[in-house]
Amino acid sequence: MKRRDVLGAFGATAVMTFAGSRARAEQLLPFYDLPAKYMNWAALGTAYEKRTGVKLTIDLKTGSSTALAAMKAEVARPQVNGAFWSLDIAIEGKKAGVTMPYKPKGFDAIPDSRKDRDGHWWAMSSANIVIGANTDVLRKHNLPLPKTWNDLLKPDYKGLCGMMEPTYSGTASTFAYGINFIQGGTKDDFTPGMKWLKAFADNGGQYRSETMGPRLVTGDVGILIDAEGNILLPKAEGAPVVVIAPPDGVVAVELGMSMMKGAPDQERARQFFDWLLGDEAQSIIGASYFRPVRKETLPKAVAAELGEPEKLIPLDLEHEAAVVTNLKRAFTEIVTRGGDLADVLRRYRLAA
Amino acid sequence: MTLTRGAAVMLLLFLVAAVLVPAAQVLRTSLTDAEGSFTIAYYAQVLADPYFRSSLIGTMVFCAATSVAATLLALPAGWRIGRGGRGAVYLRAFCQANYAFGGIAYGMLVVTLIGNVGLVPLAEHALFGTEWTKGVAYTVPGLVIAYFGFQIPRAALLLAQAIEKLDPRLLDAARTLGASPVQKTLLVVLPLLRGALTSTVLSTFLISLASFGVALLVSRKLTIYAVAIYKEFMAFSEFGSAAAMAVILSVSAVLAAVAARRFAGRTDMAGL
């Protein structure tokens, strides 16, 4: 083989790879982050591909915060068209300058508190954050279902509980924020919430880096704190899991979309955003036991199964967004690294 | 000749594009503040932080200790692969297959085996009714097992290469002179393999330092430095300190390699 041939072979391979990726790229519409097993993005992706031939990127990252980090790093050369994330992180995204405005069809029907006036983010659905339990695991340990959040701190449930890392996942960061109000804390004092999060870890509760719904189904964790739909959908499919909405209070995570600033494929991104608020997508979301922002699309049977919690504690999204980064920092220093609770909270101005 | 030179140029270009350019980018990020001017603040901050410091030291110690242990544990397998004999082919294939389980996939494998509902604890519960192995994946011994899982096969392959090249006449001579198998191993084989052992420990150590997926999924008690870097970058978007930590890890790895080489006092270490 002559050198020319070798170089030629290299060149041909490069051209073919490039051409191949172009062809694929035309059908692919990249977003951060559409997890297959969260809000049933697997079903949403399949339905959208069937309707339009456009393939979505399922399972690129692990959470809202990781999506935001990637978008910050890529803002000069955007690699994705937008993000699906919890709205506290979306507000951070707007502040960080990684989003651009768009008002999809159906934007006007979204309540003002659940969208950005300029269209940098808008709600698509919400989900109550609840306790999921694997009944097989609990039966094996002869344990009753937990009833309250504080039950999870009892030695009976030691080592059985898990949830996602608040530093990665928007659902988990919303819970880390919300548990403070469930436990009697205030916007000026996050001591009660942080104490709970630390006690959870001290009782063997795990903060994990992967999507956790499937872990509850297999019994890797016996008890999971997660969005209700991630537990109710497997339940409907026959998994031995149940949902408990503790009467001492439940918070909801607001989920929505944003368009990435300088998105490479804005035309098709807009079509996708429009579709997500339309009847088809909204009813898939409902059928997956998440609460669609257009409430009328929620199937009656699902509405009955979802029910309404005894005490839903409303969260102040703007405030949550303003403190969530410090809260994640404080969480890491206190819970992961064993720092002094009062000192750290004071340093991040989360307690007096 | 020209073909070789062409290939060398290609390789060089590839190295520049795939390694040096990104590395320079990381270095630049670690030395540039938000306003775009030069700073060493990220290094100062990361090195002053007791948590990051203990994570770095813990990671180095953990990787060094497991690499030494894994290399010693890999000797019998490496011997069998290198000297041939029954099962050598399968053993080699098994060790090579290990390369297929990179990063996250390997972490998943560990969770599947010794997680809370891993195959091992399930079997244990069915056979003995106990739950000793439940959730071992998330403990430090579990992390050791997980690291051994990729360290031992790779170390065995590296050792096998050196063992293949051992002069069989030396071994025969030892036997003829009446050395027992233990004497033969301690007085002939191990001294002959000294260089190979050191370089295997070192290679395994460097592979372990770079390993990330396993630790991301299972490391709970010990904060592996690569995971700490990931968290700074992905969870907090602290690109400057994440980059500084990456540089610190790389420099520590190089320093450790140089120190180990000095310590071994040999220049014939393959691959380094």
Side-chain angles (χ1 to χ4, degrees), chain A residues 6-7 10 61 65-66 69 72-73 140 165 167-168 206 208-209 215 218-220 328-329 332 337, chain B residues 2-3 10 49 51-52 108 116-117 131 138 216-217 220 230-239:
Chain A
V6 176
L7 292 176
F10 266 109
K61 298 272 166 202
S65 291
T66 48
K72 278 186 190 171
K140 211 171 82 186
E165 256 273 353
T167 45
Y168 301 136
Q206 292 181 327
R208 307 251 299 242
S209 50
R215 299 287 177 272
T218 59
D220 186 61
K328 287 189 290 184
R329 277 271 170 214
T332 305
R337 307 181 185 175
Chain B
T2 51
L3 181 63
M10 282 285 188
D49 188 319
Y51 176 77
F52 287 145
M108 289 306 303
N116 287 329
V117 283
E131 289 197 322
Y138 306 109
L216 178 69
L217 281 187
R220 287 289 171 280
Y230 175 80
K231 203 174 215 176
E232 281 304 291
F233 192 97
M234 286 312 239
F236 296 114
S237 309
E238 295 285 354
F239 303 143

Side-chain angles (χ1 to χ4, degrees), chain B residues 54-73:
Chain B
S54 74
S55 160
L56 179 63
I57 295 168
T59 304
M60 303 286 277
V61 170
F62 177 82
C63 289
T66 51
S67 299
V68 171
T71 302
L72 293 176
L73 289 169

Side-chain angles (χ1 to χ4, degrees), chain A residues 168-208:
Chain A
Y168 301 136
S169 146
T171 310
S173 67
T174 299
F175 177 75
Y177 176 82
I179 186 70
N180 184 52
F181 303 100
I182 297 172
Q183 293 289 311
T186 64
K187 283 180 186 175
D188 299 316
D189 184 13
F190 278 82
T191 311
M194 196 56 77
K195 272 191 177 148
W196 192 93
L197 293 166
K198 180 156 175 52
F200 181 79
D202 290 345
N203 199 34
Q206 292 181 327
Y207 295 105
R208 307 251 299 242

Side-chain angles (χ1 to χ4, degrees), chain B residues 171-181 183-184:
Chain B
L171 305 180
D172 291 342
R175 203 179 51 214
T176 322
L177 291 170
S180 71
Q183 281 173 322
K184 194 178 78 176

